């Protein structure tokens, strides 16, 4: 799987507790309470005016009379799919063709043919431009949709100079919903390693982590609980994961994606121990990463997340996709 090119995303880091310079969300707040559901988007005269031709799996021929000018985002289902409904918290693979709806210029396309598709996490605030999320939400697998949206749901007041999109330009995306991705690790179970925290999974895959008695490892330690057979994670990869982060000394969960949905971020730029623990793992795997205090984690701790300068951290990570 590949994620959307960075020029189609907004600047955001979903897993803020994994970054060395950002604070964790309030640990007392449940993830489901901090994210709003993405409302379904209705068709309108503007999106209905877009003509789309071509078979599924092939980049479509798109015809429209520029400029398009939707007052708010409009979404028309061009071809109806017969697959499962896409819900909040799902991750899906899409193909897309994008146009500047004001000038008529084609901007970019991807995910067609042998390409496995582009990963979208249907979670508000994931960093993808809102118009794309509104196009995917409430669709069915197999749908082809035409989405027209104003700057407020695109690149905002700045536009995008790399794409040639002005601050006042509207956008048109034609999106194919290819498939749903797993929301948890699917690899083969492995024998637990002595000395690591015990991980018990709920029916939906959410882990409960129980710390063992005794001191944590002095060095970075990694355990594979499920071994996937997908792509290998490199230090340059962008990954889609579910994760839980807890403090060894107390067992307290300070950050997690469960309750919100899978999240996508570059492996580089995260706290060093997390990056090192992820590199070399495979898609479909579930890994436990134990990070000692200091330069591999948070030097000086992270007060907002309740992490002291002497705390070892435990992450349980389900690797869903990597590019």
């Amino acid at each position: 799987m590949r994620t959307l090119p960075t020029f189609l995303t907004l600047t955001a880091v979903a897993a803020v507790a994994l970054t060395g310079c950002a604070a964790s969300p309030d640990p007392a707040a449940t993830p489901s309470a901090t994210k709003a559901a993405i409302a379904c988007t209705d068709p309108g005269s503007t999106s209905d005016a877009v003509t789309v031709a071509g078979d599924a799996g092939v980049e479509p021929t798109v015809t429209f009379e520029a400029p398009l000018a939707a007052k708010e985002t409009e979404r028309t289902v061009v071809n109806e799919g017969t697959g499962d409904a896409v819900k909040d918290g799902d991750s899906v693979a899409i193909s897309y063709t994008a146009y500047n709806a004001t000038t008529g210029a084609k901007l970019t396309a991807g995910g067609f043919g042998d390409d496995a598709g582009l990963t979208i996490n249907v979670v508000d605030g994931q960093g993808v431009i809102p118009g794309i999320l509104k196009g995917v939400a409430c669709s069915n697998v197999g749908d082809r949709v035409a989405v027209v949206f104003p700057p407020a749901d695109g690149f905002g007041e700045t536009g995008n100079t790399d794409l040639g999109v002005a601050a006042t330009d509207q956008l048109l995306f034609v999106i194919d919903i290819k498939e749903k991705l797993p929301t948890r690790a699917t690899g083969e179970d492995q024998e637990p390693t002595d000395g690591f925290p015990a991980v018990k999974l709920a029916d939906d895959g959410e882990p409960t982590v129980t710390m063992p008695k005794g001191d944590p490892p002095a060095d970075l330690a990694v355990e594979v609980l499920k071994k996937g057979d997908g792509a290998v994670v490199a230090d340059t990869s962008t990954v889609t994961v579910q994760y839980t982060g807890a403090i060894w000394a107390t067992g307290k969960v300070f950050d997690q994606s469960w309750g919100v949905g899978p999240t996508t971020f570059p492996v580089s730029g995260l706290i060093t121990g997390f990056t090192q623990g992820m590199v070399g793992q495979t898609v479909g795997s579930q890994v436990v990463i134990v990070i000692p205090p200091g330069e591999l984690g948070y030097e000086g701790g992270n007060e907002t997340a309740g992490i002291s300068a002497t705390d070892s951290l435990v992450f349980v990570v389900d690797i869903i996709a990597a590019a």
Side-chain angles (χ1 to χ4, degrees):
M1 293 293 169
R2 293 192 294 131
T3 54
L4 280 169
T6 54
F7 52 74
L8 294 181
T9 66
L10 297 174
T11 301
V13 178
V16 291
L18 297 179
T19 63
C21 58
S24 171
D26 181 359
T30 59
S32 58
T34 60
K35 298 293 183 181
I38 301 172
C40 296
T41 303
D42 294 327
S45 59
T46 306
S47 60
D48 284 346
V50 178
T51 300
V52 182
D55 297 331
V58 178
E59 184 177 341
T61 299
V62 181
T63 306
F64 63 97
E65 186 174 343
L68 298 178
K71 293 183 179 179
E72 58 186 19
T73 296
E74 299 177 4
R75 168 185 166 276
T76 295
V77 178
V78 178
N79 296 324
E80 293 186 358
T82 58
D84 293 340
V86 176
K87 301 176 182 178
D88 272 30
D90 285 341
S91 287
V92 296
I94 70 166
S95 303
Y96 72 96
T97 304
Y99 294 84
N100 185 320
T102 300
T103 67
K106 180 180 175 180
L107 303 177
T108 183
F112 296 100
D114 294 334
D115 193 324
L118 309 175
T119 302
I120 294 291
N121 302 314
V122 189
V123 178
D124 189 32
Q126 277 288 293
V128 178
I129 57 178
I132 296 176
L133 285 177
K134 290 182 177 182
V136 173
C138 303
S139 296
N140 295 321
V141 174
D143 278 356
R144 171 170 281 178
V145 298
V147 191
V148 181
F149 45 97
D153 279 346
F155 296 112
E157 297 178 355
T158 59
N160 186 307
T161 55
D162 290 338
L163 287 176
V165 178
T168 56
D169 287 346
Q170 303 218 348
L171 298 176
L172 162 65
F173 274 71
V174 176
I175 299 171
D176 288 359
I177 314 298
K178 299 181 71 169
E179 63 176 334
K180 278 191 184 184
L181 304 179
T183 56
R184 58 190 292 183
T186 58
E188 184 176 348
D189 290 338
Q190 307 292 299
E191 286 293 327
T193 303
D194 290 341
F196 273 78
V199 177
K200 183 178 180 180
L201 303 181
D203 289 344
D204 65 354
E206 180 176 354
T208 297
V209 185
T210 303
M211 305 304 170
K213 295 180 180 179
D215 295 331
D219 300 316
L220 181 72
V222 181
E223 173 191 35
V224 178
L225 292 178
K226 295 180 182 290
K227 180 65 174 177
D229 59 3
V232 177
V233 177
D235 58 5
T236 56
S237 294
T238 295
V239 293
T240 299
V241 304
Q242 291 266 43
Y243 71 95
T244 292
I247 299 171
W248 180 289
T250 63
K252 184 177 181 180
V253 173
F254 62 86
D255 193 19
Q256 64 176 343
S257 63
W258 295 94
V260 178
T263 186
T264 298
F265 45 74
V267 171
S268 62
L270 305 178
I271 56 176
T272 303
F274 190 93
T275 298
Q276 292 182 3
M278 288 288 290
V279 171
Q281 306 298 335
T282 52
V283 171
S285 295
Q286 181 182 68
V287 298
V288 181
I289 306 172
V290 183
I291 304 173
E295 62 182 9
L296 295 183
Y298 299 98
E299 291 193 82
N302 184 318
E303 184 178 355
T304 304
I307 299 170
S308 76
T310 59
D311 278 331
S312 291
L313 308 179
V314 177
F315 286 95
V316 180
V317 188
D318 289 26
I319 306 172
I320 295 168

